[in-house]
Amino acid sequence: MTISMYDISVAVFSARLKALASVLALAEQNAADRKIDPQVFLTARLAPDMFALTRQVQIATDHAKGAPSRLAGREVPKYEDNESSFEELHARIAKTLDHLATFSAADLDGSEERMIELRLAGREVSMGGLQYLLNAAMPNFYFHVTTAYDILRHNGVPLGKATFLGR
């Protein structure tokens, strides 16, 4: 059995972003229920040297839109990174899901060996598509999605593994 680059990228990014949107919706409702200013959650971070929730979502969507674009040889869409509300984060996720919907399996066929060149930690890096997806894009995507979840859970939003998984 073979698995396609589409199945391990676009399909996964889409499913996890939908779950992240559900997590954010629950957080927004929880803030309203507890009469907490939503900015408390949006600007919360796990540690002083980590990014806040809003930036975590921005970076997660950056990886989700960037990886398939690079693998397909397309230009990566640029977003302004100016979101400051749950509504704007939902719009960003929706825009990313719309972008992901423009890809087909054929767009990513053969991208396992496509050389991907990008800047990591201030230096130019080149790697094959499969290596890039599995060792750079996906780990970074999951780190930021998980950190967004953890920030909200740490702030008392009643989330569980099922919510994280989108169930």
Side-chain angles (χ1 to χ4, degrees), residues 70-131:
R70 288 182 185 96
L71 292 168
R74 293 187 193 173
E75 186 74 25
V76 177
K78 301 222 184 318
Y79 296 172
E80 292 186 38
D81 295 339
N82 60 358
E83 294 80 15
S84 61
S85 68
F86 280 107
E87 181 180 346
E88 291 171 343
L89 290 177
H90 282 291
R92 184 183 179 112
I93 291 171
K95 181 169 47 171
T96 305
L97 288 168
D98 288 346
H99 175 67
L100 291 172
T102 68
F103 293 93
S104 69
D107 293 324
L108 300 177
D109 282 351
S111 64
E112 298 87 347
E113 299 302 320
R114 177 189 297 273
M115 292 310 293
I116 306 296
E117 297 181 14
L118 60 150
R119 243 181 130 65
L120 293 175
R123 61 185 179 93
E124 295 293 325
V125 177
S126 181
M127 62 185 87
L130 184 61
Q131 180 186 5

Side-chain angles (χ1 to χ4, degrees), residues 10-23 93 97 138 141-142 145 161-167:
V10 173
V12 173
F13 289 132
S14 296
R16 298 287 58 83
L17 286 178
K18 289 173 186 172
L20 179 59
S22 294
V23 165
I93 291 171
L97 288 168
M138 280 296 186
F141 173 76
Y142 273 106
V145 169
K161 186 192 286 188
T163 311
F164 179 84
L165 296 174
R167 295 185 184 146

